[in-house]
Amino acid sequence: MICGDLIISSLNECEDDNFHSGDGCTNKCQIEKGWDCIGIPSICREICGDKFIIGKEECDEKSDICTDKCLINKDSWEFKANQTIDWLSTASNVF
């Protein structure tokens, strides 16, 4: 089948009704690395925890600083400590 016809075939892994890459489904109807796509038209989402930071992900490791939705936990002590270190580093370059 043809990419863009809203039919999933053995040649098309996804079909998101557009010809734009970078949204999980390439312009050749292939699922992009780090994404998971379902349905017709395909809805694609980032795979959290696969070691690729793509789409709306801010981080991609499960830790105190990275939530299970791959967003930075700005309340974690690690994030606050890193912000303080960054600020001190920047401030020392000013003087």
Side-chain angles (χ1 to χ4, degrees), residues 76-88:
S76 76
W77 66 270
E78 288 178 72
F79 177 79
K80 290 178 181 179
N82 287 334
Q83 291 298 328
T84 301
I85 290 168
D86 289 344
W87 181 84
L88 290 172

Side-chain angles (χ1 to χ4, degrees), residues 20-90:
H20 306 288
S21 295
D23 60 358
C25 186
T26 69
N27 60 342
K28 295 182 178 171
C29 292
Q30 301 299 301
I31 296 174
E32 296 181 81
K33 190 176 202 176
W35 294 82
D36 185 31
C37 302
I38 59 168
I40 300 175
S42 297
I43 297 172
C44 302
R45 63 182 178 159
E46 305 91 341
I47 300 171
C48 185
D50 64 352
K51 303 199 188 299
F52 296 102
I53 298 174
I54 54 170
K56 295 179 182 178
E57 293 179 328
E58 298 175 339
C59 53
D60 202 88
E61 77 246 5
K62 297 197 176 162
S63 66
D64 289 338
I65 199 167
C66 189
T67 69
D68 60 353
K69 295 183 191 254
C70 287
L71 300 173
I72 293 177
N73 178 2
K74 294 179 174 62
D75 291 328
S76 76
W77 66 270
E78 288 178 72
F79 177 79
K80 290 178 181 179
N82 287 334
Q83 291 298 328
T84 301
I85 290 168
D86 289 344
W87 181 84
L88 290 172
S89 171
T90 304

